[in-house]
Amino acid sequence: LTSSQGFGDESNISMLPGQKQLYTEIAQRLDDRHYRQTIIDDALSRRYLDRYVDMLDSQKSYLLQSDVDEFEKWATSLDDLLTKGDVSPGFSMYNRLLVRAIEQLNSNIALLQSDFKFDLQSQSTLVIDSDKRTWLASTAEAEIYWVKRMTDSLIRLFLNDKEPAAARELLIKRFENQLKQFQQRDSEDVFQLYVNALAGLYDPHTAYYSPRTSENFQIS
């Protein structure tokens, strides 16, 4: 995996052939057949961007303010790209999240595996509600934020009678599972997420299922 400074191809998920045409078809169906008529304009583009970024990182845990600021270049162009079937912004933003998340989760695991001593007596506070927090300003601030989150998690585990070593091991497994989930996502998953950010602007019950998700839904 490449450094977050480079954002190289090693951590990228690429578009699949046919997704451009499918994106265009979905947009046309929403426009032609959905009961709620929505004008495809710059206002929709703004809402589309905000919704997608929120879906990517709803807890503001990984993306930095600089990332979100960079995404602003699409604030008034997603509507134009929609009519062209261009899904590249969705993949670009997701790949940025992917780099940030994998690096942070690996950092968390390494810290828990080290002899780092968490300050359990601190009077510091942790704001849980993401709506009351701003985006992380830097990687240094992200590290401070995650140390607080891990400290909070450890305290909760201790209060539930977990031994220190067992508590650390449990957190490591949690982060490893999250890491595995990120690493297992593919182009279909990213496409589905990006399309559903659009579909949700029409109404909360409209959604697109990838072939795999649709098959799993039918089985369930």
Side-chain angles (χ1 to χ4, degrees):
L1 189 66
T2 58
S3 166
S4 60
Q5 299 301 315
F7 301 111
D9 293 336
E10 293 176 30
S11 59
N12 283 356
I13 296 178
S14 301
M15 293 175 283
L16 293 175
Q19 286 181 335
K20 178 178 180 179
Q21 181 179 348
L22 179 57
Y23 187 51
T24 303
E25 181 181 346
I26 291 169
Q28 289 174 345
R29 290 194 178 190
L30 285 170
D31 188 48
D32 295 340
R33 303 182 186 182
H34 200 281
Y35 74 92
R36 181 179 177 182
Q37 294 297 308
T38 299
I39 299 174
I40 300 176
D41 56 8
D42 287 353
L44 178 135
S45 178
R46 171 78 268 173
R47 291 187 293 122
Y48 191 3
L49 177 62
D50 290 345
R51 180 174 175 82
Y52 185 59
V53 171
D54 183 64
M55 290 172 68
L56 284 178
D57 190 8
S58 61
Q59 296 303 309
K60 296 178 181 173
S61 299
Y62 302 112
L63 291 172
L64 304 182
Q65 182 65 60
S66 59
D67 298 324
V68 178
D69 290 343
E70 186 179 334
F71 299 161
E72 283 294 310
K73 64 187 177 185
W74 291 300
T76 58
S77 63
L78 292 185
D79 56 320
D80 302 312
L81 297 174
L82 171 62
T83 59
K84 298 175 182 178
D86 189 345
V87 295
S88 58
F91 281 83
S92 294
M93 286 184 273
Y94 184 85
N95 284 324
R96 181 65 58 85
L97 170 72
L98 186 61
V99 170
R100 296 293 190 198
I102 290 177
E103 287 190 345
Q104 187 60 62
L105 290 168
N106 277 323
S107 177
N108 294 349
I109 292 169
L111 191 67
L112 287 164
Q113 290 174 334
S114 73
D115 58 359
F116 179 82
K117 290 181 172 54
F118 290 88
D119 184 359
L120 306 180
Q121 306 300 323
S122 172
Q123 295 300 311
S124 62
T125 58
L126 174 66
V127 179
I128 302 295
D129 188 349
S130 60
D131 291 334
K132 297 179 180 178
R133 289 191 290 106
T134 57
W135 292 98
L136 298 165
S138 64
T139 53
E141 184 175 299
E143 293 297 336
I144 294 172
Y145 165 74
W146 275 99
V147 167
K148 287 184 177 182
R149 275 188 61 169
M150 287 185 278
T151 302
D152 176 71
S153 296
L154 286 170
I155 291 172
R156 292 174 187 273
L157 290 170
F158 294 159
L159 291 174
N160 282 284
D161 299 325
K162 281 285 185 183
E163 293 297 323
R168 283 197 180 221
E169 192 59 36
L170 181 57
L171 287 187
I172 290 171
K173 288 181 179 178
R174 287 180 185 175
F175 291 135
E176 287 176 340
N177 287 335
Q178 291 170 26
L179 192 59
K180 186 181 297 184
Q181 289 173 4
F182 272 109
Q183 293 170 330
Q184 289 176 339
R185 290 174 186 167
D186 59 17
S187 185
E188 283 190 0
D189 296 319
V190 178
F191 183 79
Q192 177 177 277
L193 186 68
Y194 190 55
V195 170
N196 279 331
L198 171 66
L201 298 178
Y202 285 79
D203 80 88
H205 306 294
T206 298
Y208 163 77
Y209 284 175
S210 70
R212 182 176 60 248
T213 302
S214 179
E215 181 180 357
N216 291 337
F217 179 77
Q218 295 297 332
I219 292 172
S220 297

